[in-house]
Amino acid sequence: MSQCFELSRGSAHNVRPMEGLRGFAVFLVFLVHYATLVEHWLDTDASVRQLAEALHTVGNTGVDLFFVLSGYLIYGSLIARRQPFARFMARRIERLYPAFTVVFVLYVALSFLFPAESKIPADTGEALVYLLQNFLLLPGLFPIEPMITVAWSLSYELFYYLVIPLVIGALGLRERSAAWRAVFFAAAGAALLVWCALAGGHVRLALFIAGILLHEAMNAPRVPTPSAAAGGLALVAGLLGTLLPWEGPMGGSLSTLMLCLSFFLVCLACFRTPLAPLARLFSWSPMRWLGNMSYSYYLIHGLALKAAFLAMSVLMPRAVFDSWFFWALMPVMFGLTLLPSAALFLAVERPFSLARETARPREAVASTL
């Protein structure tokens, strides 16, 4: 298992709690799709359905945690040294596209095999445009329904990859003081949250800025290190805070601000003190292994869940269960999603996207999901 799922980037760049946090984030994403698909088998008891809805809401924060970690890593890589923009983007494309292309082709093939489940338009011209839009990772920032449900977040990632090198270069941020950069990005984040509160918009981009500020805080001795208890409480508060009755653009901005603070504190606590109890929890090997293959898991787990629940609909078409079924089925379905995810990771992502990362231990690595 270690040989398959450990990623050695050199001791200086292997942040074990970060790998575990990725695993935790992708498990949260699993909860979203599990809670949605299991609903058909739950009885009409309001408490059971409310539980599923609550886990669905909390699970959505997994993507937000990914955005914070991407913001931290990509910014850290770029601020540390100059990189030609073309080479940087080529490396990002190499990181994203091999596994995505395999899953994209699989979705296209399944769309023709199961037309009732297909999102591809019937008209040939519209179908080609839709497929091109999806392959270029446009759904998400643009109002296009993603063929791969989770792929909307990749448009945010790609937008961040395109913009942050230009911002660093145009403003000469490498030559600025850390304090200047922190104030600049804090002001930019605040402006984004206010704008989205008043006019709406892509408020989750603020999570990338939280990751940038996390990088600056990590290198600022005057910024105090949260205790493990404080980091844990911040994490719980951020997750449960999503269950508050936030409404409208203002509620979305306040909820996002709460998540920014929560993930900032838990990451700072874990990264600064890797031997503290909270960091050791996220350094648990199975959680880190899940984190190391989290991109593959993220892309294909929804399809695996859909297939498993379709099989259940054939075997138990009229069965209805209460809360015990909800909890008992969860680890079974989670285990089933691990199999195709591990296969995609070992056959595609690791050899085609990560081989150069693990072969260059002295170079700071900026991994995505």
Side-chain angles (χ1 to χ4, degrees):
M1 294 291 287
S2 295
Q3 291 178 350
C4 291
F5 298 106
E6 291 285 358
L7 297 178
S8 176
R9 305 180 179 100
S11 59
H13 305 298
N14 262 33
V15 183
R16 287 175 168 253
M18 186 186 301
E19 295 174 348
L21 281 166
R22 283 201 195 99
F24 176 68
V26 86
F27 179 73
L28 289 174
V29 176
F30 160 79
L31 291 178
V32 175
H33 300 100
Y34 174 76
T36 300
L37 292 171
V38 79
E39 187 176 6
H40 174 75
W41 281 268
L42 299 179
D43 63 24
T44 56
D45 180 31
S47 61
V48 180
R49 294 189 174 273
Q50 287 172 358
L51 171 65
E53 291 174 3
L55 285 182
H56 184 284
T57 300
V58 170
N60 274 314
T61 63
V63 175
D64 299 310
L65 180 52
F66 278 131
F67 287 167
V68 172
L69 296 176
S70 287
Y72 172 82
L73 286 166
I74 297 298
Y75 175 78
S77 171
L78 289 168
I79 207 70
R81 68 190 190 286
R82 296 182 183 278
Q83 301 179 49
F85 181 77
R87 188 171 70 180
F88 169 77
M89 287 305 303
R91 182 68 192 99
R92 296 297 92 215
I93 291 171
E94 181 185 354
R95 181 67 182 91
L96 288 177
Y97 266 94
F100 174 78
T101 301
V102 170
V103 177
F104 180 86
V105 171
L106 181 59
Y107 266 78
V108 173
L110 290 174
S111 296
F112 285 103
L113 290 174
F114 301 96
E117 301 289 333
S118 176
K119 300 177 184 178
I120 302 174
D123 179 77
T124 301
E126 292 178 359
L128 291 175
V129 171
Y130 178 74
L131 291 173
L132 181 62
Q133 290 171 334
N134 275 268
F135 191 73
L136 295 177
L137 304 178
L138 298 182
L141 284 178
F142 297 93
I144 302 166
E145 183 183 16
M147 183 175 65
I148 304 171
T149 305
V150 298
W152 68 267
S153 66
L154 299 183
S155 70
Y156 282 65
E157 292 277 350
L158 193 58
F159 176 78
Y160 178 65
Y161 300 158
L162 288 168
V163 169
I164 193 61
L166 302 178
V167 171
I168 291 173
L171 299 180
L173 294 185
R174 294 185 190 88
E175 291 73 40
R176 305 277 187 177
S177 68
W180 194 97
R181 296 196 299 262
V183 170
F184 169 76
F185 282 112
L192 175 62
L193 289 170
V194 171
W195 172 265
C196 291
L198 297 176
H202 301 294
V203 69
R204 294 171 99 168
L205 290 171
L207 277 302
F208 291 103
I209 298 177
I212 292 172
L213 293 173
L214 173 63
H215 180 273
E216 295 295 354
M218 281 289 294
N219 297 293
R222 292 185 179 181
V223 176
T225 301
S227 66
L233 288 173
L235 178 60
V236 172
L239 297 180
L240 296 182
T242 60
L243 301 177
L244 296 174
W246 309 105
E247 293 183 2
M250 178 65 73
S253 287
L254 291 175
S255 177
T256 301
L257 174 60
M258 191 171 188
L259 286 174
C260 286
L261 295 173
S262 170
F263 291 148
F264 176 92
L265 290 173
V266 70
C267 290
L268 188 62
C270 288
F271 300 168
R272 281 268 189 89
T273 54
L275 299 180
L278 184 64
R280 291 174 64 184
L281 172 64
F282 286 113
S283 298
W284 183 43
S285 292
M287 190 177 292
R288 291 191 300 102
W289 295 340
L290 177 60
N292 286 337
M293 71 168 191
S294 59
Y295 182 50
S296 291
Y297 186 94
Y298 185 76
L299 286 174
I300 206 167
H301 80 281
L303 186 60
L305 269 179
K306 182 74 171 179
F309 277 104
L310 283 174
M312 276 186 57
S313 68
V314 174
L315 298 173
M316 299 185 297
R318 295 182 177 85
V320 177
F321 301 93
D322 56 18
S323 60
W324 71 265
F325 177 79
F326 180 88
W327 294 111
L329 187 64
M330 184 186 295
V332 176
M333 287 299 184
F334 180 66
L336 289 175
T337 62
L338 293 175
L339 300 177
S341 303
L344 180 63
F345 174 75
L346 295 174
V348 181
E349 184 184 358
R350 180 158 187 159
F352 293 101
S353 294
L354 297 174
R356 286 201 294 171
E357 285 186 3
T358 56
R360 297 180 300 180
R362 294 191 179 183
E363 185 173 332
V365 177
S367 299
T368 63
L369 302 174

